[in-house]
Amino acid sequence: MKTAAAKKPKKAARGKPARRIEAQTRTKFVYSFDEIRLAERAAGSWDGVRGLLGGKGANLGEMTKLKMPVPPGFVVTTEACKAFLAAGDRFPRGMWEQALSAVAALERATRKKFGDPDNPLLVSCRSGAKFSMPGMMDTVLNIGLNDAVAEALVRLTGDERFVFDAYRRLIQMYATVVLDVPAKPFEALLEQHRSRRGVWNDADLPAEDLRAITEGFKQIVMERAHRPFPMDAVEQLRLATMAVFRSWNGKRAYDYRKAAGISHDLGTAVNVVAMVFGNLGADSGTGVATTRNVTTGENALEGDFLMNAQGEDVVAGTRKTLPIAELARLMPGVDKELKRIARTLEKHYREVQDIEFTVERGKLWMLQTRDAKRTAQAAIRLAVDLAKEKLISREEAVLRVKPEHVDYFLHPQLDPAARNAASDKGALIASGLNVSPGAAIGQIVFDADTAEHWAQRLEKKVILVRAETRPDDVHGMLAAQGVVTSRGGRTSHAALVARQFGIPTVVGVVALEIDADRRQMRTGSGKVLKEGDWLTIDGGTGEVFAGEIATVVPDVTDPYLVELLSWADRFRRLGIWTNADYPRDAERARKFGAEGIGLCRTEHMFFEAERLPVVRSMILARSAEERAGELAKLLPMQRADFLGLFRAMDGLPVTIRLIDPPLHEFLPNHDELQRTITELETRLKLNDGDAAALEAELAAKRKVLDSVDALREQNPMLGLRGVRLGIHMPELVRMQMRAIIEAACACAKKGVKLKPKIMIPLAATSNELKVQRALLEDEAQKVIREQGVKVPYQFGTMIEVPRAALIADHIAEYAEFFSFGTNDLTQTTFGISRDDAETGFLSEYLQKGILERNPFATIDQAGVGKLMEIGVKLGRQRRKGLEIGICGEHGGDPASIAFCHRTGLDYVSCSPFRVPVARLAAAHAALEEKKARR
Ligand code: ADP
Ligand code: MG
Ligand code: MG
C-alpha cells in the first residue's frame, strides 16, 4: 500500500542492496539523468534517491526515465557535497574526473562542445537539496560563455541582444554567487543604462548597451574580486559547483533550515543541465505552472509564462507574464504536449506537480517538477478529486489532508482574490514559517508594551513585529491580532505561545531586517515599513503583506471538506463529542459533526449577569432557609439550560458535570473589595458624601469581605471544589440534579428519548462517589415520583487526580462511565499549576528542552498517559465495557487523539470548533494503526 508519507513513484527500485564492491573501489559521485536506475539501486528507495540526488535531480532523472523532454544533464550527489564541506571545501577524490566525463557525455548527447566557439555547449549549474528550499541556495545559468563563444553565438543565432544578455547575466550571477561580489555595483551600472535610454526594463536595452554592460561587469569583477572573470568554461563550471556546494552553509540557507526544522547535514546536490533558450525569438518562451490550481484545487493547469524570455524573468516579475491558458492560442502544439506531460506526471507521482518549462524554437523542454505546495482549501479538494480519479485511495486521501488544513476552515482567511491582487501589486514582502493559522491585519508595532497600549487604550488593531519573543512579550502578543518574528523556528517562544492562544503568527521571516530602536523594518527588496504602517499576515501560509487585505470566513459546508470528513468518519473508531455549555454551542458542534456532549460545565451558566447576584447571595447565605430561597431562584434557570441542551442534541448523549470550581470564583475579588473599603473609609473621614449611606455601604462590603475571607484558600486549585464542594454543600448539587431530571422528564413527555449522564468531578476516593451518588439518586427518584415519568440516567466521574486512576477499579464500583479531565490530571500529575506555568516557567522549560512539548497542549504520554492506561484497564476490569472518554482540551489535539485511540477510549470530547479536526485526527489514528499492523 502506498502512502502519503512515502510517496513513491510507481516503479522505484525495490531496495536492492548497493553494489558493495563498486562502492568500495570507486564511489559514484556523479549520475547522469539517464542513470536514475543506478541511483535507485544505490539508494534503495525513492526517499533514498531524493536524499542522494536532491529533489530536483531525482525528479529530472525520473522525467528522463519517463521519456519526457528533459535537456541532458547530470547530478553531482549530496554525498560529494558533504565530503566537500567536511574536507574544508575540497572535492572528494575522483569526483571531478567523474564530472568531466559526464560533461563529455553531455557533449556527445548534444553534439556540442563545452567552450568551443564553433559549436558551444552552455550549461546551468543548479542547487537542489532533498527538501525544497525555494530561493535559499544558488544557481548559475549560461556557464560556458566567454568572449569568443559570445561572438560565435552572435554569428550562429544572429541575435546579439540575446547573446550579450545571457553573457552579462552569467557574469553577474557568477560574480555574486562564486566571487561574493555584492550585487549593488552591477545594479548601478544597469540603472545607468536604463536611465540613459529612458527605459524601465533591462529587456528594453539594445544590444550595444548589453555589450557595453558586459564589458563593465567584467571590470567590476576585476576591481572587486581582484581577478578576471574566467574565460575557461571548465574552470567556470568547477568554481560554480564549489559555490553551489558552499551555498548549503550560506547564512540564508542555514537560517531557513533552522527555522524549518530541516537537518543541517543533508547537503545539496549540483545539477548540471544543458542550457535551452526561451529567449530565441517569437517561437520561444518559458514558464512555470502547477498541474492543477493550487489555490482552489480546480482541475486546470495554472501558471504564468513569457514569450521570448529566460526562466528567471517569470519569477523576477520585471515583465508582465501571460496566464498559461494563453499558451493554447500562441503555441497550440506545445500546449497539448505540456498538458499531456502534466497528466503523466500526476499519474506517476500520484500528486499534483509544480513544473518549470522552456520552449526553444517551438520545442518544449522540462526543467523541473516537484510536488506542488497548496492552500488548505486546495489540499482538501485535490485529495478528494485524486481519490475520485482513482489515482489514490480514499484512505490515502484522508491521510493526505492534515489537521491544519481542516483548521483553516475555522479561522478568518484572506480573500483569495484580494490576496492575489495584492500579491500582483508587489505587496507580498516576505514569507516565513506558518506556525499558527488565520489571517491577521493590523498596524505594525515593535514592542509588547506599545502593542498593549495601542490595542487597549487606543483600540487599534496591531501586529507585533519582533526579532524574537520572550516571556515578557506575552502581554503584547495577546493584545495583538497577529505576530511576526524574523528569527526562530516552529518551536520558538513565539510559535508556542501563538499556537497556545490561537494568535495568527509567522516566525522565521529571515528576509525582514527589524530595527526596533528606529521603529522600522526593511524588507528583502529594500522597502521600509514604519511603526503604524498596516501589515497583513497569513499564519496559514506564512506570508507577510504590506497593507490591508480583505478577509473572509470560510465554513465547514465546503462540499469537498464535507465529503472528505464523511470518508474520515468511516475510518475512525473514536466517537467525537463536544464540550458545550450552551445550546448554541451544542448546535454548532452538531453541525460540525459532534456525536454527543462530553462536558457541560454547569458553573458557566452561573456567571451570567442576571444570575451572578443570585449565586452570590446563595453562597453568602447565613442560614439554610436563606440559601434554599436563592437555590429556588436558580432552579428554573438551570432547568431551562438543560432543556435547551437536550433539545439541541435530540437524543444524543449529554454529559453534565456538577459544579466544579471553588466558590470564591463567584465572589468579588478580595483585593478589590479591600480597596473599595479603604476608599469608603477615607470618604467617611473626609465627610465626602452622606455619612449614613457611606456607613451602610461600608457595612455591606465588610460583610462580603468577611465571607470572601472565610472562603479564601491557600491553594484553591487543590481546595474546596469538585465533589468535595458537592459533599460540603449538598443543597447546591441537589438543585442541579433536580434541574437535570426535571428537564429530562419534560423532554420525555414530548417524546425525546434521552439518558442524561451526570458527571461528578474530581473524585479521589470511591467513598466520595458513594456518598455523593446516594444523595443525587435520592433527589432523582424524588423528581421522577413527582413527575410520574421514568427517565433513565447514568452516573459517572471525571478521572483527574492520579489517585482516581490508580484505584479506578474501586471508582468504577460507583461510576458507570469515566471521563479523563486531562487538564487537572496533568496539573496534579506534574504538581504544577497551568496558569502559573504558562505565564511563567513553561516556555523556559520548552526552550531548554527540559520538556519536549507543552503537556497542557499534548498529553504527556509517559506520565499522564500511563495513569490513563491504568485507569482504563482497572476501570474495565471492574465494569466490563465501561464507557471512557476524555474531555480536557487535549481532546482536540491530534497527537493526543491518536493516543486516546491507542489507549482504547470510546470518544474524545473537544470544543465545537475542534470537532472537524478531531474527526480527521481520529481517522488518521485508525489508519496509521492499520498501516502499522500490515
Ligand atoms: P530555483 O530553485 O531558484 O528555481 P533553478 O535551478 O530551478 O533555481 O533555476 C533557476 C531558473 O533557471 C529557473 O527558471 C529554471 O527553469 C532556469 N533554468 C535552470 N536551468 C536551465 C537550463 N539548463 N536551461 C534553461 N533554463 C534553465
Ligand atoms: Mg526552480
Ligand atoms: Mg477539572
Side-chain angles (χ1 to χ4, degrees), residues 404 407 411 413 433-440 481-483 490 494-507 537-542:
E404 39 303 0
D407 208 28
H411 296 276
Q413 303 297 339
L433 295 171
N434 52 340
V435 292
S436 183
Q481 303 292 312
V483 176
R490 294 196 181 277
L496 294 171
V497 174
R499 277 197 294 271
Q500 191 87 60
F501 296 104
I503 311 164
T505 293
V506 181
V507 304
I537 66 172
D538 185 339
T541 62

PDB file of all heavy atoms in Angstrom, residues 404 407 411 413 433-440 481-483 490 494-507 537-542:
ATOM      1  N   GLU A 404      -4.178  20.781  10.122  1.00  0.00           N
ATOM      2  CA  GLU A 404      -4.161  22.237   9.929  1.00  0.00           C
ATOM      3  C   GLU A 404      -4.926  22.654   8.672  1.00  0.00           C
ATOM      4  O   GLU A 404      -5.439  23.764   8.601  1.00  0.00           O
ATOM      5  CB  GLU A 404      -2.786  22.858   9.983  1.00  0.00           C
ATOM      6  CG  GLU A 404      -1.548  22.289   9.421  1.00  0.00           C
ATOM      7  CD  GLU A 404      -1.049  20.920   9.833  1.00  0.00           C
ATOM      8  OE1 GLU A 404      -1.662  20.221  10.670  1.00  0.00           O
ATOM      9  OE2 GLU A 404      -0.019  20.534   9.290  1.00  0.00           O
ATOM     10  N   ASP A 407      -8.343  22.926   9.944  1.00  0.00           N
ATOM     11  CA  ASP A 407      -8.356  24.069  10.852  1.00  0.00           C
ATOM     12  C   ASP A 407      -8.604  25.369  10.089  1.00  0.00           C
ATOM     13  O   ASP A 407      -9.278  26.274  10.572  1.00  0.00           O
ATOM     14  CB  ASP A 407      -6.988  24.132  11.535  1.00  0.00           C
ATOM     15  CG  ASP A 407      -7.093  24.761  12.906  1.00  0.00           C
ATOM     16  OD1 ASP A 407      -8.173  24.644  13.501  1.00  0.00           O
ATOM     17  OD2 ASP A 407      -6.111  25.360  13.362  1.00  0.00           O
ATOM     18  N   HIS A 411     -11.047  29.503  10.734  1.00  0.00           N
ATOM     19  CA  HIS A 411     -10.478  30.817  11.054  1.00  0.00           C
ATOM     20  C   HIS A 411     -10.773  31.798   9.925  1.00  0.00           C
ATOM     21  O   HIS A 411     -10.930  31.391   8.790  1.00  0.00           O
ATOM     22  CB  HIS A 411      -8.951  30.720  11.176  1.00  0.00           C
ATOM     23  CG  HIS A 411      -8.492  29.850  12.290  1.00  0.00           C
ATOM     24  ND1 HIS A 411      -8.380  30.304  13.565  1.00  0.00           N
ATOM     25  CD2 HIS A 411      -8.107  28.561  12.305  1.00  0.00           C
ATOM     26  CE1 HIS A 411      -7.951  29.317  14.338  1.00  0.00           C
ATOM     27  NE2 HIS A 411      -7.775  28.250  13.594  1.00  0.00           N
ATOM     28  N   GLN A 413      -9.898  34.073   6.938  1.00  0.00           N
ATOM     29  CA  GLN A 413      -8.822  33.881   5.960  1.00  0.00           C
ATOM     30  C   GLN A 413      -8.758  35.069   5.025  1.00  0.00           C
ATOM     31  O   GLN A 413      -9.733  35.797   4.868  1.00  0.00           O
ATOM     32  CB  GLN A 413      -9.101  32.615   5.121  1.00  0.00           C
ATOM     33  CG  GLN A 413      -9.269  31.365   5.932  1.00  0.00           C
ATOM     34  CD  GLN A 413      -8.019  30.982   6.695  1.00  0.00           C
ATOM     35  OE1 GLN A 413      -6.910  31.403   6.342  1.00  0.00           O
ATOM     36  NE2 GLN A 413      -8.179  30.231   7.755  1.00  0.00           N
ATOM     37  N   LEU A 433       7.692  30.975   8.411  1.00  0.00           N
ATOM     38  CA  LEU A 433       7.069  29.718   8.794  1.00  0.00           C
ATOM     39  C   LEU A 433       5.646  29.938   9.285  1.00  0.00           C
ATOM     40  O   LEU A 433       5.393  30.798  10.116  1.00  0.00           O
ATOM     41  CB  LEU A 433       7.880  29.060   9.906  1.00  0.00           C
ATOM     42  CG  LEU A 433       9.271  28.647   9.480  1.00  0.00           C
ATOM     43  CD1 LEU A 433      10.070  28.226  10.680  1.00  0.00           C
ATOM     44  CD2 LEU A 433       9.173  27.515   8.474  1.00  0.00           C
ATOM     45  N   ASN A 434       4.743  29.128   8.758  1.00  0.00           N
ATOM     46  CA  ASN A 434       3.325  29.236   9.115  1.00  0.00           C
ATOM     47  C   ASN A 434       3.072  28.470  10.404  1.00  0.00           C
ATOM     48  O   ASN A 434       2.776  27.307  10.378  1.00  0.00           O
ATOM     49  CB  ASN A 434       2.490  28.657   7.977  1.00  0.00           C
ATOM     50  CG  ASN A 434       2.951  27.266   7.594  1.00  0.00           C
ATOM     51  OD1 ASN A 434       4.073  26.867   7.882  1.00  0.00           O
ATOM     52  ND2 ASN A 434       2.083  26.509   6.982  1.00  0.00           N
ATOM     53  N   VAL A 435       3.224  29.128  11.536  1.00  0.00           N
ATOM     54  CA  VAL A 435       3.147  28.362  12.778  1.00  0.00           C
ATOM     55  C   VAL A 435       1.800  28.425  13.471  1.00  0.00           C
ATOM     56  O   VAL A 435       1.522  27.617  14.348  1.00  0.00           O
ATOM     57  CB  VAL A 435       4.248  28.780  13.781  1.00  0.00           C
ATOM     58  CG1 VAL A 435       5.612  28.377  13.262  1.00  0.00           C
ATOM     59  CG2 VAL A 435       4.202  30.266  14.065  1.00  0.00           C
ATOM     60  N   SER A 436       0.953  29.372  13.128  1.00  0.00           N
ATOM     61  CA  SER A 436      -0.352  29.446  13.781  1.00  0.00           C
ATOM     62  C   SER A 436      -1.334  30.078  12.797  1.00  0.00           C
ATOM     63  O   SER A 436      -1.177  31.231  12.420  1.00  0.00           O
ATOM     64  CB  SER A 436      -0.243  30.272  15.062  1.00  0.00           C
ATOM     65  OG  SER A 436      -1.471  30.293  15.733  1.00  0.00           O
ATOM     66  N   PRO A 437      -2.338  29.312  12.346  1.00  0.00           N
ATOM     67  CA  PRO A 437      -3.112  29.722  11.183  1.00  0.00           C
ATOM     68  C   PRO A 437      -4.066  30.880  11.442  1.00  0.00           C
ATOM     69  O   PRO A 437      -4.323  31.260  12.577  1.00  0.00           O
ATOM     70  CB  PRO A 437      -3.898  28.465  10.841  1.00  0.00           C
ATOM     71  CG  PRO A 437      -4.025  27.743  12.126  1.00  0.00           C
ATOM     72  CD  PRO A 437      -2.783  28.036  12.895  1.00  0.00           C
ATOM     73  N   GLY A 438      -4.592  31.396  10.333  1.00  0.00           N
ATOM     74  CA  GLY A 438      -5.536  32.504  10.376  1.00  0.00           C
ATOM     75  C   GLY A 438      -4.905  33.758   9.800  1.00  0.00           C
ATOM     76  O   GLY A 438      -3.691  33.899   9.785  1.00  0.00           O
ATOM     77  N   ALA A 439      -5.760  34.638   9.294  1.00  0.00           N
ATOM     78  CA  ALA A 439      -5.270  35.896   8.761  1.00  0.00           C
ATOM     79  C   ALA A 439      -5.352  36.954   9.849  1.00  0.00           C
ATOM     80  O   ALA A 439      -6.240  36.911  10.692  1.00  0.00           O
ATOM     81  CB  ALA A 439      -6.125  36.306   7.572  1.00  0.00           C
ATOM     82  N   ALA A 440      -4.427  37.881   9.839  1.00  0.00           N
ATOM     83  CA  ALA A 440      -4.481  38.986  10.794  1.00  0.00           C
ATOM     84  C   ALA A 440      -4.053  40.260  10.095  1.00  0.00           C
ATOM     85  O   ALA A 440      -3.156  40.255   9.253  1.00  0.00           O
ATOM     86  CB  ALA A 440      -3.581  38.703  11.989  1.00  0.00           C
ATOM     87  N   GLN A 481      -3.321  41.330  17.011  1.00  0.00           N
ATOM     88  CA  GLN A 481      -4.080  40.490  16.087  1.00  0.00           C
ATOM     89  C   GLN A 481      -3.217  39.345  15.587  1.00  0.00           C
ATOM     90  O   GLN A 481      -3.694  38.266  15.292  1.00  0.00           O
ATOM     91  CB  GLN A 481      -4.519  41.307  14.861  1.00  0.00           C
ATOM     92  CG  GLN A 481      -5.328  42.525  15.187  1.00  0.00           C
ATOM     93  CD  GLN A 481      -6.673  42.152  15.748  1.00  0.00           C
ATOM     94  OE1 GLN A 481      -7.357  41.297  15.186  1.00  0.00           O
ATOM     95  NE2 GLN A 481      -7.049  42.757  16.837  1.00  0.00           N
ATOM     96  N   GLY A 482      -1.927  39.658  15.445  1.00  0.00           N
ATOM     97  CA  GLY A 482      -1.015  38.655  14.924  1.00  0.00           C
ATOM     98  C   GLY A 482       0.404  39.008  15.301  1.00  0.00           C
ATOM     99  O   GLY A 482       0.678  40.111  15.780  1.00  0.00           O
ATOM    100  N   VAL A 483       1.311  38.052  15.077  1.00  0.00           N
ATOM    101  CA  VAL A 483       2.692  38.241  15.472  1.00  0.00           C
ATOM    102  C   VAL A 483       3.601  37.816  14.317  1.00  0.00           C
ATOM    103  O   VAL A 483       3.312  36.852  13.616  1.00  0.00           O
ATOM    104  CB  VAL A 483       3.022  37.404  16.736  1.00  0.00           C
ATOM    105  CG1 VAL A 483       4.501  37.519  17.096  1.00  0.00           C
ATOM    106  CG2 VAL A 483       2.151  37.837  17.911  1.00  0.00           C
ATOM    107  N   ARG A 490       9.812  26.589  14.457  1.00  0.00           N
ATOM    108  CA  ARG A 490       8.489  26.103  14.839  1.00  0.00           C
ATOM    109  C   ARG A 490       8.330  25.888  16.334  1.00  0.00           C
ATOM    110  O   ARG A 490       7.227  25.747  16.841  1.00  0.00           O
ATOM    111  CB  ARG A 490       8.193  24.786  14.114  1.00  0.00           C
ATOM    112  CG  ARG A 490       8.071  24.987  12.639  1.00  0.00           C
ATOM    113  CD  ARG A 490       7.415  23.824  11.925  1.00  0.00           C
ATOM    114  NE  ARG A 490       7.382  24.150  10.505  1.00  0.00           N
ATOM    115  CZ  ARG A 490       6.458  24.898   9.956  1.00  0.00           C
ATOM    116  NH1 ARG A 490       5.466  25.382  10.685  1.00  0.00           N
ATOM    117  NH2 ARG A 490       6.509  25.197   8.668  1.00  0.00           N
ATOM    118  N   ALA A 494       7.702  32.364  20.356  1.00  0.00           N
ATOM    119  CA  ALA A 494       6.577  32.990  19.653  1.00  0.00           C
ATOM    120  C   ALA A 494       5.631  31.925  19.097  1.00  0.00           C
ATOM    121  O   ALA A 494       4.410  32.031  19.226  1.00  0.00           O
ATOM    122  CB  ALA A 494       7.088  33.882  18.531  1.00  0.00           C
ATOM    123  N   ALA A 495       6.193  30.882  18.510  1.00  0.00           N
ATOM    124  CA  ALA A 495       5.362  29.843  17.896  1.00  0.00           C
ATOM    125  C   ALA A 495       4.550  29.103  18.953  1.00  0.00           C
ATOM    126  O   ALA A 495       3.361  28.825  18.762  1.00  0.00           O
ATOM    127  CB  ALA A 495       6.250  28.864  17.127  1.00  0.00           C
ATOM    128  N   LEU A 496       5.183  28.808  20.061  1.00  0.00           N
ATOM    129  CA  LEU A 496       4.493  28.059  21.120  1.00  0.00           C
ATOM    130  C   LEU A 496       3.331  28.865  21.680  1.00  0.00           C
ATOM    131  O   LEU A 496       2.207  28.383  21.791  1.00  0.00           O
ATOM    132  CB  LEU A 496       5.472  27.744  22.259  1.00  0.00           C
ATOM    133  CG  LEU A 496       6.608  26.794  21.913  1.00  0.00           C
ATOM    134  CD1 LEU A 496       7.616  26.721  23.034  1.00  0.00           C
ATOM    135  CD2 LEU A 496       6.046  25.413  21.627  1.00  0.00           C
ATOM    136  N   VAL A 497       3.627  30.122  22.023  1.00  0.00           N
ATOM    137  CA  VAL A 497       2.589  30.967  22.616  1.00  0.00           C
ATOM    138  C   VAL A 497       1.459  31.183  21.610  1.00  0.00           C
ATOM    139  O   VAL A 497       0.277  31.133  21.948  1.00  0.00           O
ATOM    140  CB  VAL A 497       3.188  32.309  23.081  1.00  0.00           C
ATOM    141  CG1 VAL A 497       2.094  33.248  23.563  1.00  0.00           C
ATOM    142  CG2 VAL A 497       4.213  32.069  24.182  1.00  0.00           C
ATOM    143  N   ALA A 498       1.839  31.416  20.364  1.00  0.00           N
ATOM    144  CA  ALA A 498       0.841  31.697  19.332  1.00  0.00           C
ATOM    145  C   ALA A 498      -0.137  30.544  19.179  1.00  0.00           C
ATOM    146  O   ALA A 498      -1.351  30.735  19.139  1.00  0.00           O
ATOM    147  CB  ALA A 498       1.533  31.977  18.009  1.00  0.00           C
ATOM    148  N   ARG A 499       0.402  29.344  19.105  1.00  0.00           N
ATOM    149  CA  ARG A 499      -0.481  28.182  18.930  1.00  0.00           C
ATOM    150  C   ARG A 499      -1.367  27.987  20.147  1.00  0.00           C
ATOM    151  O   ARG A 499      -2.546  27.672  20.043  1.00  0.00           O
ATOM    152  CB  ARG A 499       0.353  26.927  18.678  1.00  0.00           C
ATOM    153  CG  ARG A 499       0.761  26.789  17.222  1.00  0.00           C
ATOM    154  CD  ARG A 499       1.205  25.373  16.921  1.00  0.00           C
ATOM    155  NE  ARG A 499       2.419  25.040  17.634  1.00  0.00           N
ATOM    156  CZ  ARG A 499       3.636  25.267  17.153  1.00  0.00           C
ATOM    157  NH1 ARG A 499       3.803  25.827  15.978  1.00  0.00           N
ATOM    158  NH2 ARG A 499       4.692  24.940  17.846  1.00  0.00           N
ATOM    159  N   GLN A 500      -0.745  28.215  21.299  1.00  0.00           N
ATOM    160  CA  GLN A 500      -1.476  28.105  22.547  1.00  0.00           C
ATOM    161  C   GLN A 500      -2.736  28.962  22.544  1.00  0.00           C
ATOM    162  O   GLN A 500      -3.799  28.539  22.939  1.00  0.00           O
ATOM    163  CB  GLN A 500      -0.553  28.651  23.640  1.00  0.00           C
ATOM    164  CG  GLN A 500      -1.042  28.370  25.002  1.00  0.00           C
ATOM    165  CD  GLN A 500      -0.534  27.032  25.393  1.00  0.00           C
ATOM    166  OE1 GLN A 500       0.663  26.831  25.426  1.00  0.00           O
ATOM    167  NE2 GLN A 500      -1.432  26.131  25.631  1.00  0.00           N
ATOM    168  N   PHE A 501      -2.561  30.211  22.115  1.00  0.00           N
ATOM    169  CA  PHE A 501      -3.657  31.156  22.228  1.00  0.00           C
ATOM    170  C   PHE A 501      -4.339  31.419  20.888  1.00  0.00           C
ATOM    171  O   PHE A 501      -5.177  32.302  20.769  1.00  0.00           O
ATOM    172  CB  PHE A 501      -3.147  32.469  22.836  1.00  0.00           C
ATOM    173  CG  PHE A 501      -2.652  32.298  24.247  1.00  0.00           C
ATOM    174  CD1 PHE A 501      -1.303  32.283  24.520  1.00  0.00           C
ATOM    175  CD2 PHE A 501      -3.553  32.114  25.289  1.00  0.00           C
ATOM    176  CE1 PHE A 501      -0.845  32.100  25.816  1.00  0.00           C
ATOM    177  CE2 PHE A 501      -3.098  31.935  26.593  1.00  0.00           C
ATOM    178  CZ  PHE A 501      -1.740  31.928  26.860  1.00  0.00           C
ATOM    179  N   GLY A 502      -3.944  30.662  19.871  1.00  0.00           N
ATOM    180  CA  GLY A 502      -4.595  30.828  18.571  1.00  0.00           C
ATOM    181  C   GLY A 502      -4.349  32.196  17.951  1.00  0.00           C
ATOM    182  O   GLY A 502      -5.243  32.761  17.341  1.00  0.00           O
ATOM    183  N   ILE A 503      -3.148  32.734  18.113  1.00  0.00           N
ATOM    184  CA  ILE A 503      -2.824  34.016  17.502  1.00  0.00           C
ATOM    185  C   ILE A 503      -2.164  33.749  16.147  1.00  0.00           C
ATOM    186  O   ILE A 503      -1.120  33.098  16.094  1.00  0.00           O
ATOM    187  CB  ILE A 503      -1.813  34.809  18.368  1.00  0.00           C
ATOM    188  CG1 ILE A 503      -2.277  34.836  19.830  1.00  0.00           C
ATOM    189  CG2 ILE A 503      -1.599  36.212  17.822  1.00  0.00           C
ATOM    190  CD1 ILE A 503      -1.185  35.238  20.795  1.00  0.00           C
ATOM    191  N   PRO A 504      -2.758  34.240  15.050  1.00  0.00           N
ATOM    192  CA  PRO A 504      -2.112  34.034  13.750  1.00  0.00           C
ATOM    193  C   PRO A 504      -0.672  34.542  13.800  1.00  0.00           C
ATOM    194  O   PRO A 504      -0.436  35.679  14.230  1.00  0.00           O
ATOM    195  CB  PRO A 504      -2.955  34.883  12.793  1.00  0.00           C
ATOM    196  CG  PRO A 504      -4.286  34.989  13.459  1.00  0.00           C
ATOM    197  CD  PRO A 504      -4.017  34.995  14.935  1.00  0.00           C
ATOM    198  N   THR A 505       0.254  33.710  13.400  1.00  0.00           N
ATOM    199  CA  THR A 505       1.661  34.072  13.583  1.00  0.00           C
ATOM    200  C   THR A 505       2.543  33.485  12.489  1.00  0.00           C
ATOM    201  O   THR A 505       2.328  32.371  12.040  1.00  0.00           O
ATOM    202  CB  THR A 505       2.150  33.573  14.966  1.00  0.00           C
ATOM    203  OG1 THR A 505       1.466  34.305  15.978  1.00  0.00           O
ATOM    204  CG2 THR A 505       3.648  33.766  15.147  1.00  0.00           C
ATOM    205  N   VAL A 506       3.523  34.311  12.087  1.00  0.00           N
ATOM    206  CA  VAL A 506       4.540  33.863  11.142  1.00  0.00           C
ATOM    207  C   VAL A 506       5.887  34.103  11.811  1.00  0.00           C
ATOM    208  O   VAL A 506       6.159  35.209  12.262  1.00  0.00           O
ATOM    209  CB  VAL A 506       4.461  34.664   9.831  1.00  0.00           C
ATOM    210  CG1 VAL A 506       5.504  34.159   8.843  1.00  0.00           C
ATOM    211  CG2 VAL A 506       3.072  34.573   9.217  1.00  0.00           C
ATOM    212  N   VAL A 507       6.705  33.077  11.901  1.00  0.00           N
ATOM    213  CA  VAL A 507       8.027  33.261  12.504  1.00  0.00           C
ATOM    214  C   VAL A 507       9.107  32.945  11.473  1.00  0.00           C
ATOM    215  O   VAL A 507       8.830  32.426  10.397  1.00  0.00           O
ATOM    216  CB  VAL A 507       8.232  32.367  13.757  1.00  0.00           C
ATOM    217  CG1 VAL A 507       7.150  32.621  14.779  1.00  0.00           C
ATOM    218  CG2 VAL A 507       8.280  30.903  13.370  1.00  0.00           C
ATOM    219  N   ILE A 537      -0.961  39.506   7.649  1.00  0.00           N
ATOM    220  CA  ILE A 537      -0.222  38.248   7.643  1.00  0.00           C
ATOM    221  C   ILE A 537      -1.182  37.078   7.478  1.00  0.00           C
ATOM    222  O   ILE A 537      -2.345  37.153   7.853  1.00  0.00           O
ATOM    223  CB  ILE A 537       0.612  38.043   8.929  1.00  0.00           C
ATOM    224  CG1 ILE A 537      -0.284  37.873  10.149  1.00  0.00           C
ATOM    225  CG2 ILE A 537       1.574  39.200   9.131  1.00  0.00           C
ATOM    226  CD1 ILE A 537       0.487  37.489  11.403  1.00  0.00           C
ATOM    227  N   ASP A 538      -0.665  36.019   6.879  1.00  0.00           N
ATOM    228  CA  ASP A 538      -1.427  34.788   6.752  1.00  0.00           C
ATOM    229  C   ASP A 538      -0.679  33.701   7.520  1.00  0.00           C
ATOM    230  O   ASP A 538       0.312  33.156   7.035  1.00  0.00           O
ATOM    231  CB  ASP A 538      -1.579  34.419   5.275  1.00  0.00           C
ATOM    232  CG  ASP A 538      -2.480  33.201   5.092  1.00  0.00           C
ATOM    233  OD1 ASP A 538      -2.639  32.426   6.069  1.00  0.00           O
ATOM    234  OD2 ASP A 538      -3.025  33.025   3.996  1.00  0.00           O
ATOM    235  N   GLY A 539      -1.165  33.429   8.709  1.00  0.00           N
ATOM    236  CA  GLY A 539      -0.500  32.445   9.551  1.00  0.00           C
ATOM    237  C   GLY A 539      -0.605  31.028   9.001  1.00  0.00           C
ATOM    238  O   GLY A 539       0.090  30.134   9.444  1.00  0.00           O
ATOM    239  N   GLY A 540      -1.476  30.836   8.028  1.00  0.00           N
ATOM    240  CA  GLY A 540      -1.636  29.510   7.438  1.00  0.00           C
ATOM    241  C   GLY A 540      -0.627  29.223   6.333  1.00  0.00           C
ATOM    242  O   GLY A 540      -0.263  28.084   6.097  1.00  0.00           O
ATOM    243  N   THR A 541      -0.176  30.291   5.655  1.00  0.00           N
ATOM    244  CA  THR A 541       0.798  30.091   4.581  1.00  0.00           C
ATOM    245  C   THR A 541       2.158  30.667   4.942  1.00  0.00           C
ATOM    246  O   THR A 541       3.147  30.362   4.293  1.00  0.00           O
ATOM    247  CB  THR A 541       0.349  30.799   3.284  1.00  0.00           C
ATOM    248  OG1 THR A 541       0.274  32.210   3.559  1.00  0.00           O
ATOM    249  CG2 THR A 541      -0.990  30.303   2.811  1.00  0.00           C
ATOM    250  N   GLY A 542       2.199  31.526   5.953  1.00  0.00           N
ATOM    251  CA  GLY A 542       3.459  32.148   6.341  1.00  0.00           C
ATOM    252  C   GLY A 542       3.769  33.405   5.545  1.00  0.00           C
ATOM    253  O   GLY A 542       4.879  33.912   5.588  1.00  0.00           O
TER     254      GLY A 542
END
